[in-house]
Amino acid sequence: MAANANPDRQAPAIPWRAIGWGGAASLLALPLIARAPWTGFDFMAMAGLLGSVGLGLELVVRKSAGMAYRTAAGIALLASFLLVWSNGAVGMIGSEHDPRNLLFAGVLAIGFGGAMLARFRARGMAWAMLATAVAQVLAGLSGLTSDVRGSGLATGFAALWLLSAALFREAGLRRAE
């Protein structure tokens, strides 16, 4: 056993990690390069969002070998990121100050709570993403009378949640075989 240990041996390079984290850093640098009127808080918030997605992806890749599960989780993380980003930047319904936009925090809470209840198992995650899609549509419909464009965009996110649910279901079926 000790003969196999080689302290000089380096860990194999994983280019996807460097590409992913480098991409996140590049996205964070874009507003600075474009001289966007961002505050320090804006940069910290975006760094937190990008870091959360990156860490989530790292965890999924480490804990799951199935491509369907990884893709489903990636889509769910992407949908979460886009929902928080767009809702915080301009608001899904009306402006970012419209109180109905807080409903979308509930959408994320349903998704995360469902994932916790499912203990991140594929079949339970499929149901959690389905519930999240329904919550997304209901939250979007809350602004239908005042902002049809925003409500359409908000309900369009449901397609991402449904795609994630379908892939989690597929991952669950493959695991059952």
Side-chain angles (χ1 to χ4, degrees), residues 62-145:
R62 288 176 191 238
K63 296 293 183 182
S64 171
M67 189 54 82
Y69 189 98
R70 287 179 176 185
T71 305
I75 290 170
L77 286 167
L78 175 68
S80 299
F81 169 78
L82 291 173
L83 184 60
V84 171
W85 183 32
S86 59
N87 202 23
V90 294
M92 298 293 279
I93 298 171
S95 75
E96 66 271 20
H97 303 295
D98 191 317
R100 291 175 292 184
N101 285 316
L102 293 175
L103 293 171
F104 297 103
V107 170
L108 294 175
I110 287 170
F112 187 71
M116 295 293 287
L117 285 173
R119 296 182 6 203
F120 298 97
R121 292 191 178 128
R123 286 186 156 180
M125 290 294 290
W127 286 106
M129 294 302 101
L130 181 61
T132 306
V134 170
Q136 181 77 49
V137 169
L138 293 175
L141 290 175
S142 73
L144 190 58
T145 57

Coordinates of all heavy atoms in Angstrom, one line a residue, residues 62-145:
R62 N -19.4 15.6 -8.3 CA -18.7 14.7 -7.4 C -19.6 13.6 -6.9 O -19.1 12.5 -6.6 CB -18.1 15.5 -6.2 CG -17.0 16.3 -6.5 CD -16.5 17.1 -5.3 NE -15.6 18.1 -5.7 CZ -14.3 18.2 -5.2 NH1 -14.0 17.4 -4.3 NH2 -13.5 19.1 -5.6
K63 N -20.9 13.9 -6.7 CA -21.8 12.9 -6.1 C -22.5 12.0 -7.1 O -23.2 11.1 -6.6 CB -22.8 13.6 -5.2 CG -22.1 14.3 -4.0 CD -21.5 13.3 -3.0 CE -21.0 14.0 -1.8 NZ -20.4 13.1 -0.9
S64 N -22.6 12.4 -8.3 CA -23.4 11.6 -9.3 C -22.5 11.3 -10.5 O -21.8 12.2 -11.1 CB -24.6 12.4 -9.7 OG -25.2 11.8 -10.8
A65 N -22.7 10.1 -11.0 CA -22.0 9.7 -12.2 C -22.9 9.7 -13.4 O -22.4 9.7 -14.5 CB -21.4 8.3 -12.0
G66 N -24.2 9.8 -13.2 CA -25.1 9.7 -14.3 C -25.3 11.0 -15.0 O -25.4 12.1 -14.4
M67 N -25.2 11.0 -16.4 CA -25.3 12.2 -17.2 C -26.7 12.8 -17.1 O -26.8 14.0 -17.1 CB -24.9 11.9 -18.6 CG -24.7 13.1 -19.5 SD -23.6 14.3 -18.8 CE -22.0 13.7 -19.3
A68 N -27.7 12.0 -17.0 CA -29.1 12.5 -17.0 C -29.2 13.3 -15.7 O -29.8 14.4 -15.7 CB -30.1 11.4 -17.1
Y69 N -28.8 12.8 -14.6 CA -28.9 13.5 -13.3 C -28.1 14.8 -13.3 O -28.5 15.8 -12.9 CB -28.4 12.6 -12.1 CG -28.7 13.2 -10.8 CD1 -29.8 12.7 -10.1 CD2 -27.8 14.1 -10.2 CE1 -30.1 13.3 -8.8 CE2 -28.1 14.6 -8.9 CZ -29.2 14.2 -8.3 OH -29.5 14.7 -7.0
R70 N -26.8 14.7 -13.8 CA -26.0 15.9 -13.9 C -26.6 17.0 -14.7 O -26.6 18.1 -14.4 CB -24.6 15.5 -14.4 CG -23.7 14.8 -13.5 CD -22.4 14.4 -14.1 NE -21.5 13.7 -13.2 CZ -20.3 13.4 -13.4 NH1 -19.8 13.7 -14.6 NH2 -19.5 12.8 -12.5
T71 N -27.2 16.6 -15.9 CA -27.8 17.6 -16.8 C -29.0 18.2 -16.1 O -29.2 19.4 -16.2 CB -28.1 16.9 -18.1 OG1 -27.0 16.3 -18.7 CG2 -28.7 17.9 -19.1
A72 N -29.8 17.3 -15.5 CA -31.0 17.8 -14.8 C -30.7 18.8 -13.7 O -31.3 19.9 -13.6 CB -31.8 16.7 -14.2
A73 N -29.7 18.5 -12.9 CA -29.2 19.4 -11.9 C -28.6 20.7 -12.5 O -28.9 21.8 -11.9 CB -28.2 18.7 -11.0
G74 N -27.9 20.6 -13.5 CA -27.3 21.8 -14.2 C -28.4 22.7 -14.7 O -28.4 23.9 -14.6
I75 N -29.5 22.1 -15.3 CA -30.6 22.9 -15.8 C -31.3 23.6 -14.6 O -31.7 24.8 -14.7 CB -31.6 22.1 -16.6 CG1 -30.9 21.7 -17.9 CG2 -32.9 22.8 -16.9 CD1 -31.6 20.6 -18.8
A76 N -31.5 22.9 -13.5 CA -32.2 23.4 -12.4 C -31.3 24.6 -11.8 O -31.9 25.6 -11.4 CB -32.4 22.4 -11.3
L77 N -30.0 24.4 -11.7 CA -29.2 25.5 -11.2 C -29.2 26.7 -12.2 O -29.2 27.8 -11.7 CB -27.7 24.9 -11.0 CG -27.5 24.0 -9.8 CD1 -26.2 23.3 -9.9 CD2 -27.6 24.8 -8.5
L78 N -29.2 26.4 -13.5 CA -29.2 27.5 -14.4 C -30.5 28.3 -14.3 O -30.6 29.5 -14.3 CB -29.1 26.9 -15.9 CG -29.2 28.0 -17.0 CD1 -28.1 29.0 -17.0 CD2 -29.3 27.3 -18.3
A79 N -31.6 27.5 -14.2 CA -33.0 28.2 -14.0 C -33.0 29.0 -12.8 O -33.5 30.2 -12.8 CB -34.1 27.2 -14.0
S80 N -32.4 28.5 -11.7 CA -32.4 29.3 -10.4 C -31.6 30.5 -10.6 O -32.0 31.6 -10.1 CB -31.8 28.4 -9.3 OG -32.6 27.2 -9.1
F81 N -30.4 30.4 -11.2 CA -29.5 31.5 -11.4 C -30.3 32.6 -12.2 O -30.3 33.8 -11.9 CB -28.2 31.1 -12.1 CG -27.4 32.3 -12.6 CD1 -26.6 33.0 -11.7 CD2 -27.4 32.6 -13.9 CE1 -25.9 34.0 -12.2 CE2 -26.7 33.7 -14.4 CZ -25.9 34.4 -13.5
L82 N -30.8 32.2 -13.4 CA -31.5 33.2 -14.3 C -32.7 33.8 -13.6 O -33.0 35.0 -13.8 CB -31.9 32.5 -15.6 CG -30.8 32.0 -16.5 CD1 -31.3 31.2 -17.7 CD2 -30.0 33.2 -17.0
L83 N -33.4 33.0 -12.8 CA -34.6 33.6 -12.1 C -34.2 34.7 -11.1 O -34.7 35.7 -11.1 CB -35.4 32.5 -11.4 CG -36.7 32.9 -10.7 CD1 -37.6 33.5 -11.7 CD2 -37.3 31.7 -10.0
V84 N -33.2 34.4 -10.3 CA -32.7 35.3 -9.3 C -32.1 36.6 -10.0 O -32.4 37.7 -9.6 CB -31.7 34.7 -8.4 CG1 -31.0 35.8 -7.5 CG2 -32.3 33.6 -7.5
W85 N -31.3 36.3 -11.0 CA -30.6 37.4 -11.7 C -31.7 38.3 -12.4 O -31.6 39.6 -12.2 CB -29.7 36.9 -12.7 CG -28.8 37.8 -13.5 CD1 -28.4 39.1 -13.0 CD2 -28.4 37.7 -14.8 NE1 -27.7 39.7 -14.0 CE2 -27.6 38.9 -15.1 CE3 -28.5 36.7 -15.8 CZ2 -27.0 39.0 -16.4 CZ3 -27.8 36.9 -17.0 CH2 -27.1 38.1 -17.3
S86 N -32.5 37.8 -13.2 CA -33.5 38.6 -13.9 C -34.5 39.3 -13.0 O -34.8 40.5 -13.2 CB -34.2 37.8 -15.0 OG -34.9 36.8 -14.4
N87 N -34.9 38.6 -12.0 CA -35.9 39.2 -11.0 C -35.2 40.3 -10.2 O -35.8 41.3 -9.9 CB -36.4 38.1 -10.1 CG -37.7 38.5 -9.5 OD1 -38.5 39.3 -10.0 ND2 -38.0 37.8 -8.4
G88 N -34.0 40.1 -9.8 CA -33.3 41.1 -9.1 C -32.9 42.3 -9.9 O -32.9 43.5 -9.4
A89 N -32.6 42.1 -11.2 CA -32.1 43.2 -12.1 C -33.3 44.1 -12.5 O -33.2 45.3 -12.4 CB -31.4 42.6 -13.3
V90 N -34.3 43.5 -13.1 CA -35.4 44.3 -13.6 C -36.8 43.8 -13.1 O -37.8 44.5 -13.4 CB -35.4 44.2 -15.2 CG1 -34.2 44.9 -15.7 CG2 -35.5 42.8 -15.7
G91 N -36.9 42.7 -12.5 CA -38.2 42.2 -12.0 C -38.9 41.4 -13.1 O -38.8 41.7 -14.2
M92 N -39.5 40.4 -12.6 CA -40.3 39.5 -13.6 C -41.7 40.1 -13.9 O -42.2 40.0 -14.9 CB -40.5 38.1 -13.0 CG -39.2 37.4 -12.8 SD -38.3 36.9 -14.3 CE -39.2 35.5 -14.7
I93 N -42.2 40.8 -12.8 CA -43.5 41.5 -13.0 C -43.3 42.9 -12.7 O -42.9 43.3 -11.6 CB -44.5 40.8 -12.0 CG1 -44.8 39.4 -12.4 CG2 -45.9 41.6 -12.1 CD1 -45.6 38.6 -11.4
G94 N -43.6 43.8 -13.6 CA -43.4 45.2 -13.4 C -41.9 45.5 -13.2 O -41.1 45.0 -13.9
S95 N -41.6 46.3 -12.2 CA -40.2 46.6 -11.9 C -39.7 45.7 -10.8 O -40.4 44.9 -10.2 CB -40.1 48.1 -11.4 OG -40.6 48.2 -10.1
E96 N -38.4 45.8 -10.5 CA -37.8 45.0 -9.5 C -38.4 45.3 -8.1 O -38.2 44.5 -7.2 CB -36.3 45.1 -9.5 CG -35.8 46.4 -9.1 CD -35.6 47.4 -10.3 OE1 -36.2 47.2 -11.3 OE2 -34.8 48.4 -10.1
H97 N -39.1 46.4 -8.0 CA -39.7 46.8 -6.7 C -41.1 46.3 -6.5 O -41.7 46.5 -5.4 CB -39.6 48.3 -6.5 CG -38.2 48.9 -6.7 ND1 -37.2 48.6 -5.8 CD2 -37.6 49.6 -7.6 CE1 -36.1 49.2 -6.1 NE2 -36.3 49.8 -7.3
D98 N -41.7 45.7 -7.5 CA -43.1 45.2 -7.4 C -43.1 44.0 -6.4 O -42.3 43.1 -6.5 CB -43.5 44.7 -8.7 CG -45.0 44.4 -8.8 OD1 -45.6 43.8 -7.8 OD2 -45.7 44.8 -9.8
P99 N -43.9 44.1 -5.3 CA -43.9 43.1 -4.3 C -44.3 41.7 -4.8 O -44.0 40.7 -4.2 CB -45.0 43.6 -3.3 CG -45.7 44.7 -3.9 CD -44.9 45.2 -5.0
R100 N -45.0 41.6 -5.9 CA -45.4 40.3 -6.5 C -44.1 39.5 -6.9 O -44.2 38.3 -7.0 CB -46.3 40.5 -7.7 CG -47.7 41.0 -7.2 CD -48.6 41.2 -8.4 NE -48.0 42.4 -9.1 CZ -48.6 42.9 -10.2 NH1 -49.8 42.4 -10.6 NH2 -48.1 43.9 -10.8
N101 N -43.0 40.2 -7.1 CA -41.8 39.5 -7.5 C -41.3 38.6 -6.4 O -40.5 37.7 -6.6 CB -40.7 40.5 -7.9 CG -41.0 41.1 -9.3 OD1 -41.4 40.3 -10.2 ND2 -40.9 42.4 -9.5
L102 N -41.7 38.9 -5.1 CA -41.3 38.1 -4.0 C -41.9 36.7 -4.2 O -41.3 35.7 -3.5 CB -41.7 38.7 -2.7 CG -41.0 40.0 -2.3 CD1 -41.6 40.6 -1.1 CD2 -39.5 39.8 -2.1
L103 N -42.9 36.5 -4.9 CA -43.5 35.1 -5.2 C -42.4 34.2 -5.8 O -42.4 33.0 -5.6 CB -44.7 35.2 -6.1 CG -45.9 35.9 -5.5 CD1 -47.0 36.1 -6.6 CD2 -46.5 35.1 -4.3
F104 N -41.5 34.8 -6.6 CA -40.5 34.0 -7.2 C -39.4 33.4 -6.2 O -38.8 32.4 -6.5 CB -39.9 34.7 -8.4 CG -40.9 35.0 -9.4 CD1 -41.4 36.3 -9.6 CD2 -41.3 34.0 -10.3 CE1 -42.4 36.6 -10.5 CE2 -42.3 34.3 -11.2 CZ -42.8 35.6 -11.4
A105 N -39.3 34.1 -5.1 CA -38.5 33.5 -4.0 C -39.1 32.3 -3.5 O -38.5 31.3 -3.2 CB -38.2 34.6 -2.9
G106 N -40.5 32.3 -3.5 CA -41.2 31.1 -3.0 C -41.1 30.0 -4.0 O -41.0 28.8 -3.6
V107 N -41.0 30.3 -5.3 CA -40.7 29.3 -6.3 C -39.4 28.5 -6.0 O -39.3 27.3 -6.0 CB -40.7 29.9 -7.7 CG1 -40.2 28.9 -8.7 CG2 -42.0 30.4 -8.1
L108 N -38.4 29.3 -5.7 CA -37.1 28.7 -5.4 C -37.1 27.9 -4.1 O -36.5 26.9 -3.9 CB -36.0 29.8 -5.4 CG -35.7 30.5 -6.7 CD1 -34.7 31.6 -6.5 CD2 -35.2 29.5 -7.7
A109 N -37.9 28.5 -3.1 CA -38.0 27.8 -1.8 C -38.7 26.4 -2.0 O -38.3 25.4 -1.4 CB -38.8 28.6 -0.8
I110 N -39.7 26.4 -2.9 CA -40.4 25.1 -3.2 C -39.4 24.1 -3.8 O -39.3 22.9 -3.4 CB -41.6 25.3 -4.1 CG1 -42.7 26.0 -3.2 CG2 -42.1 24.0 -4.7 CD1 -43.9 26.5 -4.0
G111 N -38.6 24.6 -4.8 CA -37.6 23.7 -5.4 C -36.6 23.2 -4.5 O -36.3 22.0 -4.4
F112 N -36.0 24.1 -3.6 CA -35.0 23.7 -2.7 C -35.6 22.8 -1.6 O -35.0 21.8 -1.2 CB -34.3 24.9 -2.1 CG -33.1 24.5 -1.3 CD1 -31.9 24.0 -1.9 CD2 -33.1 24.7 0.1 CE1 -30.8 23.7 -1.1 CE2 -32.0 24.3 0.9 CZ -30.9 23.8 0.3
G113 N -36.7 23.2 -1.1 CA -37.4 22.4 -0.1 C -37.7 21.0 -0.6 O -37.5 20.0 0.1
G114 N -38.2 20.9 -1.8 CA -38.5 19.6 -2.4 C -37.3 18.8 -2.6 O -37.3 17.6 -2.4
A115 N -36.2 19.4 -3.0 CA -35.0 18.7 -3.2 C -34.5 18.2 -1.8 O -34.0 17.0 -1.7 CB -33.9 19.6 -3.8
M116 N -34.6 19.0 -0.8 CA -34.2 18.5 0.6 C -35.1 17.3 1.0 O -34.6 16.3 1.5 CB -34.3 19.6 1.6 CG -33.4 20.8 1.3 SD -31.6 20.3 1.5 CE -31.5 20.2 3.2
L117 N -36.4 17.4 0.8 CA -37.3 16.3 1.2 C -37.0 15.1 0.4 O -37.1 14.0 0.9 CB -38.8 16.7 1.0 CG -39.4 17.7 2.0 CD1 -40.7 18.2 1.5 CD2 -39.4 17.1 3.4
A118 N -36.6 15.2 -0.9 CA -36.3 14.1 -1.7 C -34.9 13.5 -1.4 O -34.5 12.5 -2.0 CB -36.4 14.5 -3.2
R119 N -34.2 14.3 -0.5 CA -32.8 13.9 -0.2 C -31.9 13.8 -1.5 O -31.1 12.9 -1.6 CB -32.7 12.7 0.7 CG -33.4 12.9 2.0 CD -33.4 11.9 3.0 NE -32.7 10.6 2.7 CZ -33.0 9.5 3.3 NH1 -34.0 9.4 4.1 NH2 -32.3 8.4 3.0
F120 N -32.3 14.6 -2.5 CA -31.5 14.8 -3.7 C -31.5 13.5 -4.5 O -30.7 13.3 -5.4 CB -30.1 15.3 -3.5 CG -30.1 16.7 -2.9 CD1 -30.0 16.9 -1.5 CD2 -30.3 17.8 -3.7 CE1 -30.0 18.1 -1.0 CE2 -30.4 19.1 -3.2 CZ -30.2 19.3 -1.8
R121 N -32.5 12.6 -4.3 CA -32.6 11.4 -5.1 C -33.4 11.7 -6.3 O -34.4 12.5 -6.3 CB -33.3 10.3 -4.2 CG -32.4 9.8 -3.1 CD -32.9 8.6 -2.5 NE -32.0 8.1 -1.4 CZ -32.4 7.9 -0.2 NH1 -33.7 8.0 0.2 NH2 -31.5 7.5 0.7
A122 N -33.0 11.0 -7.4 CA -33.6 11.4 -8.7 C -35.1 11.4 -8.8 O -35.7 12.4 -9.3 CB -33.0 10.5 -9.8
R123 N -35.7 10.3 -8.4 CA -37.2 10.3 -8.5 C -37.9 11.4 -7.7 O -38.8 12.0 -8.2 CB -37.7 8.9 -8.0 CG -37.4 7.9 -9.0 CD -38.1 6.6 -8.7 NE -38.2 5.8 -9.9 CZ -38.8 4.6 -9.9 NH1 -39.2 4.1 -8.7 NH2 -38.9 3.9 -11.0
G124 N -37.4 11.6 -6.5 CA -38.0 12.7 -5.7 C -37.7 14.1 -6.3 O -38.5 15.0 -6.2
M125 N -36.5 14.2 -6.9 CA -36.1 15.5 -7.5 C -37.0 15.7 -8.7 O -37.4 16.9 -9.0 CB -34.7 15.4 -8.0 CG -33.6 15.4 -6.9 SD -33.7 17.0 -6.0 CE -33.0 18.1 -7.2
A126 N -37.5 14.7 -9.4 CA -38.4 14.9 -10.5 C -39.7 15.5 -10.0 O -40.2 16.5 -10.6 CB -38.7 13.6 -11.2
W127 N -40.2 15.0 -8.9 CA -41.4 15.6 -8.3 C -41.2 17.0 -7.8 O -42.0 17.9 -8.0 CB -41.9 14.7 -7.2 CG -42.6 13.4 -7.7 CD1 -42.1 12.2 -7.7 CD2 -43.8 13.3 -8.4 NE1 -42.9 11.3 -8.3 CE2 -44.0 12.0 -8.7 CE3 -44.8 14.2 -8.8 CZ2 -45.2 11.5 -9.4 CZ3 -45.9 13.8 -9.4 CH2 -46.1 12.4 -9.7
A128 N -40.0 17.2 -7.2 CA -39.7 18.6 -6.7 C -39.7 19.6 -7.9 O -40.2 20.7 -7.8 CB -38.4 18.6 -6.0
M129 N -39.1 19.2 -9.0 CA -39.0 20.1 -10.1 C -40.3 20.3 -10.8 O -40.7 21.4 -11.3 CB -38.0 19.6 -11.2 CG -36.5 19.6 -10.7 SD -35.9 21.2 -10.1 CE -36.0 21.0 -8.4
L130 N -41.2 19.3 -10.8 CA -42.6 19.4 -11.3 C -43.3 20.4 -10.4 O -44.0 21.3 -10.9 CB -43.3 18.1 -11.3 CG -44.7 18.1 -11.8 CD1 -44.7 18.6 -13.3 CD2 -45.3 16.7 -11.7
A131 N -43.2 20.3 -9.1 CA -43.9 21.3 -8.2 C -43.3 22.7 -8.4 O -44.1 23.7 -8.3 CB -43.7 20.8 -6.7
T132 N -42.0 22.8 -8.7 CA -41.4 24.1 -8.9 C -42.0 24.7 -10.2 O -42.2 25.9 -10.3 CB -39.9 23.9 -9.0 OG1 -39.4 23.3 -7.8 CG2 -39.2 25.3 -9.1
A133 N -42.2 23.9 -11.2 CA -42.7 24.4 -12.5 C -44.2 24.9 -12.3 O -44.5 26.0 -12.8 CB -42.7 23.3 -13.5
V134 N -44.9 24.2 -11.5 CA -46.3 24.6 -11.2 C -46.3 25.9 -10.4 O -47.0 26.9 -10.7 CB -47.1 23.5 -10.4 CG1 -48.4 24.1 -9.9 CG2 -47.3 22.3 -11.3
A135 N -45.4 26.0 -9.4 CA -45.3 27.3 -8.6 C -44.8 28.4 -9.5 O -45.3 29.6 -9.4 CB -44.3 27.1 -7.5
Q136 N -43.9 28.1 -10.5 CA -43.4 29.2 -11.4 C -44.6 29.7 -12.2 O -44.7 30.9 -12.4 CB -42.4 28.6 -12.3 CG -41.8 29.6 -13.3 CD -40.8 30.5 -12.7 OE1 -39.9 30.0 -11.9 NE2 -40.9 31.8 -12.9
V137 N -45.4 28.8 -12.8 CA -46.6 29.3 -13.6 C -47.5 30.1 -12.7 O -48.0 31.2 -13.2 CB -47.3 28.1 -14.2 CG1 -48.6 28.5 -14.8 CG2 -46.4 27.4 -15.3
L138 N -47.8 29.6 -11.5 CA -48.8 30.4 -10.7 C -48.2 31.8 -10.3 O -48.9 32.7 -10.3 CB -49.1 29.6 -9.4 CG -49.9 28.3 -9.6 CD1 -50.0 27.5 -8.3 CD2 -51.2 28.6 -10.2
A139 N -46.9 31.8 -10.0 CA -46.3 33.1 -9.7 C -46.4 34.0 -10.9 O -46.6 35.2 -10.8 CB -44.9 32.9 -9.2
G140 N -46.1 33.5 -12.1 CA -46.2 34.3 -13.3 C -47.6 34.8 -13.6 O -47.8 35.9 -14.1
L141 N -48.6 34.0 -13.3 CA -50.0 34.3 -13.6 C -50.4 35.5 -12.6 O -51.4 36.2 -13.0 CB -50.9 33.1 -13.4 CG -50.8 32.1 -14.5 CD1 -51.6 30.9 -14.2 CD2 -51.1 32.7 -15.9
S142 N -49.7 35.7 -11.5 CA -50.1 36.7 -10.6 C -50.0 38.1 -11.2 O -50.6 39.0 -10.8 CB -49.3 36.6 -9.3 OG -48.0 37.1 -9.6
G143 N -49.2 38.2 -12.2 CA -49.0 39.5 -12.9 C -49.6 39.6 -14.2 O -49.4 40.6 -14.9
L144 N -50.4 38.6 -14.6 CA -51.0 38.6 -15.9 C -51.8 39.8 -16.3 O -51.8 40.3 -17.4 CB -51.9 37.3 -16.1 CG -52.3 37.0 -17.5 CD1 -51.1 36.8 -18.4 CD2 -53.2 35.7 -17.4
T145 N -52.5 40.4 -15.3 CA -53.4 41.5 -15.6 C -52.6 42.8 -15.8 O -53.1 43.7 -16.5 CB -54.4 41.7 -14.5 OG1 -53.7 41.9 -13.2 CG2 -55.4 40.5 -14.4

